[in-house]
Amino acid sequence: MLLATPAMIEMFMNTLVGLADTIMVGQGIGAEGLAAVNLANQIVFPIVFIFSAFNVGTTAIVSRCIGAGCKNRANRVASQSYMLNIIIGFLLTGVMYLFYEEIMSLFPADQKVLNITFDYLEVIIYSQLFMLLTLSLSGSFRGAGDTTTPMVVNGAINAVNILGNWLLIFGIGFFPELGIRGAAISTTLSRIVGAIIFTAIALKGDKQIRLVLRWFKIKLSLIKRLWKISWSAALEQLAMQSSFIALHYLTVMLGTIDYSVYTIIVRLESISFMPVFGISLATTTLVGQYLGAEDEDNAVRSGNLSVLCGVALALFLGVVFIIAPQQLVRIFISEAEVIETAILPLRLAGILQVPIAILIVYSGALRGAGDTWMVMLITAFRMWGLLVPMTYFVVNHTDWGLVGLYIGQNIVFTTVAIIFYLYFRTEKWVGIKI
């Protein structure tokens, strides 16, 4: 728990800033603003997460190096990963600048929603490079067992973002009222500040990880080692993020009200699974370091104990969703139709949190062992073999709406949680060499 607690706090803070964004956009702009921000993020985040998959390999290798007592090698891996993320960041920014309008126009959203989305994306695309740098250093520090530094840096990012949103969305004091563009400017500035702070800490070198300038020159042998672990993680993110785009494409077809409800539920769900992600990140480090020290029994034990912690947290928060759906939705928006539509889907989402917690934590344990291949296969099956077909069927061939979607999600995620549990018990992942 010493490793997990800062990571959980960090993920909880990330959840709070996401909630603050949603509340301020919902109260300041309305249902169209909520739909626009969520739609934009379905493009920005998938692209970033797919191309940041090298950071999965970074965490796994750094944790093995630290477990084996090779700190200099860990610093070399961290430095190479940082430089690689700079290159990828510039490439992604250029691609998004050229094609974001064409990509967003593929979604069957109302034109008003699309116009707001364009205003948001015109600014937010410049934050991708800084997101990647923060993700790279977070992965390196966590791999070294330092979950406190990422927590502090991301806390600063969140503070800047929340303050900036409040000032620029609503035009507080002498600041202009910029609406959705204000939200985008605030988010971009916060990510720039975070990347600068994190880079300064890593260059100073008085923490677990140090960036060394002479190791910034790309070495193909190390990149190949990162790629050996990360290519399947990249495919996993491609499967997951592309399916998210498909899911949002289908959900938009239910109409602006249902899609706004879906956006609110996703934000509320993150209260549960973001802290669970913190446990998962700590589990990745623990499993990697135990295997690096050739302590297989504790690697298995840490994975199973982490799942129990994640389930306990998910149970508590899931119950809140079930007993107080109206009160939760009113935090974001006051429109009566949106609140009424959200009640039953949100209760079903509360039940969903337990199987989600199980698969998230077991995924983290397997990534720490370097078994990204199996995580990718199960994830691809979950998203494209089960979830997308189920959503397509509900949207196009039934009148069940969001209630049908969340009933289907409960069936899908419970099935996949069982698959992860059964595979983890085989312990085949213990012997993987990286």
Side-chain angles (χ1 to χ4, degrees):
M1 289 300 292
L2 289 175
L3 277 177
T5 300
M8 289 172 61
I9 294 172
E10 177 190 347
M11 292 298 117
F12 185 69
M13 288 190 299
N14 288 338
T15 299
L16 288 181
V17 77
L19 288 173
D21 280 349
T22 305
I23 291 168
M24 284 188 267
V25 170
Q27 297 293 340
I29 303 169
E32 290 86 1
L34 285 176
V37 172
N38 200 51
L39 204 56
N41 286 336
Q42 297 318 304
I43 298 300
V44 173
F45 285 123
I47 292 174
V48 169
F49 289 148
I50 290 167
F51 286 94
S52 68
F54 273 105
N55 299 322
V56 174
T58 301
T59 302
I61 295 174
V62 167
S63 64
R64 290 281 184 109
C65 291
I66 295 295
C70 303
K71 188 171 182 179
N72 279 340
R73 190 180 301 168
N75 288 333
R76 185 187 295 270
V77 172
S79 300
Q80 289 279 289
S81 176
Y82 183 86
M83 192 63 203
L84 188 62
N85 277 274
I86 289 177
I87 296 169
I88 293 172
F90 277 113
L91 291 174
L92 286 185
T93 301
V95 170
M96 284 295 292
Y97 176 79
L98 293 173
F99 300 111
Y100 75 89
E101 289 190 4
E102 289 81 356
I103 295 171
M104 294 310 307
S105 296
L106 297 174
F107 283 83
D110 295 340
Q111 190 58 48
K112 183 177 181 181
V113 172
L114 283 177
N115 290 339
I116 298 173
T117 305
F118 292 151
D119 287 341
Y120 186 78
L121 277 173
E122 283 175 359
V123 178
I124 208 72
I125 56 175
Y126 297 105
S127 72
Q128 292 178 112
L129 167 63
F130 305 99
M131 280 182 69
L132 284 167
L133 296 182
T134 301
L135 288 170
S136 172
L137 290 172
S138 294
S140 297
F141 274 72
R142 291 190 190 106
D146 181 358
T147 53
T148 301
T149 301
M151 176 194 71
V152 172
V153 172
N154 280 288
I157 292 172
N158 292 341
V160 172
N161 193 16
I162 291 174
L163 177 61
N165 277 343
W166 180 61
L167 294 174
L168 296 177
I169 291 176
F170 300 103
I172 303 299
F174 59 83
F175 289 93
E177 183 179 344
L178 299 177
I180 198 71
R181 189 174 286 271
I185 292 171
S186 172
T187 300
T188 300
L189 287 176
S190 70
R191 289 170 181 167
I192 293 172
V193 168
I196 291 172
I197 293 172
F198 220 154
T199 301
I201 291 171
L203 286 171
K204 188 177 180 182
D206 56 358
K207 302 290 184 181
Q208 290 289 342
I209 288 295
R210 181 182 181 185
L211 289 178
V212 181
L213 295 179
R214 70 176 182 274
W215 290 338
F216 275 18
K217 185 178 180 180
I218 297 294
K219 289 190 66 175
L220 289 180
S221 59
L222 185 51
I223 298 303
K224 287 178 181 178
R225 191 179 174 196
L226 285 170
W227 178 246
K228 181 181 177 182
I229 302 172
S230 301
W231 73 269
S232 50
L235 287 180
E236 177 200 347
Q237 286 298 324
L238 178 61
M240 184 180 294
Q241 302 301 334
S242 61
S243 69
F244 286 158
I245 294 172
L247 291 172
H248 281 270
Y249 182 95
L250 292 167
T251 309
V252 165
M253 296 170 67
L254 294 174
T256 299
I257 295 297
D258 276 13
Y259 187 65
S260 296
V261 169
Y262 184 71
T263 300
I264 291 170
I265 293 176
V266 168
R267 286 296 191 188
L268 286 169
E269 283 184 302
S270 68
I271 296 174
S272 177
F273 64 71
M274 276 299 183
V276 172
F277 267 122
I279 296 174
S280 178
L281 291 170
T283 307
T284 299
T285 300
L286 283 172
V287 170
Q289 290 191 1
Y290 279 132
L291 291 176
E294 299 183 356
D295 188 350
E296 297 177 358
D297 289 341
N298 272 325
V300 174
R301 189 176 295 113
S302 64
N304 286 322
L305 288 175
S306 296
V307 168
L308 290 177
C309 293
V311 167
L313 182 60
L315 271 172
F316 172 75
L317 293 167
V319 167
V320 176
F321 293 177
I322 293 169
I323 65 176
Q326 291 170 300
Q327 292 85 345
L328 290 172
V329 177
R330 284 198 184 100
I331 296 172
F332 299 93
I333 200 163
S334 58
E335 295 177 26
E337 186 178 1
V338 174
I339 295 170
E340 186 65 28
T341 303
I343 293 174
L344 186 51
L346 184 53
R347 285 178 170 151
L348 291 167
I351 300 170
L352 182 62
Q353 300 314 297
V354 171
I356 287 179
I358 293 171
L359 68 90
I360 285 174
V361 180
Y362 274 136
S363 295
L366 294 174
R367 290 189 188 101
D371 195 356
T372 52
W373 170 251
M374 184 55 67
V375 177
M376 182 273 292
L377 287 178
I378 297 175
T379 300
F381 171 69
R382 165 168 62 102
M383 305 307 294
W384 284 104
L386 297 176
L387 200 56
V388 172
M390 179 276 296
T391 303
Y392 177 85
F393 174 78
V394 170
V395 170
N396 290 286
H397 299 289
T398 76
D399 58 357
W400 303 340
L402 288 177
V403 173
L405 289 185
Y406 278 95
I407 291 173
Q409 285 193 24
N410 271 279
I411 295 170
V412 168
F413 281 95
T414 300
T415 301
V416 175
I418 293 170
I419 293 172
F420 267 112
Y421 167 72
L422 293 175
Y423 178 72
F424 193 81
R425 282 191 61 185
T426 68
E427 298 185 18
K428 293 180 179 178
W429 48 271
V430 170
I432 291 176
K433 304 297 181 184
I434 63 174

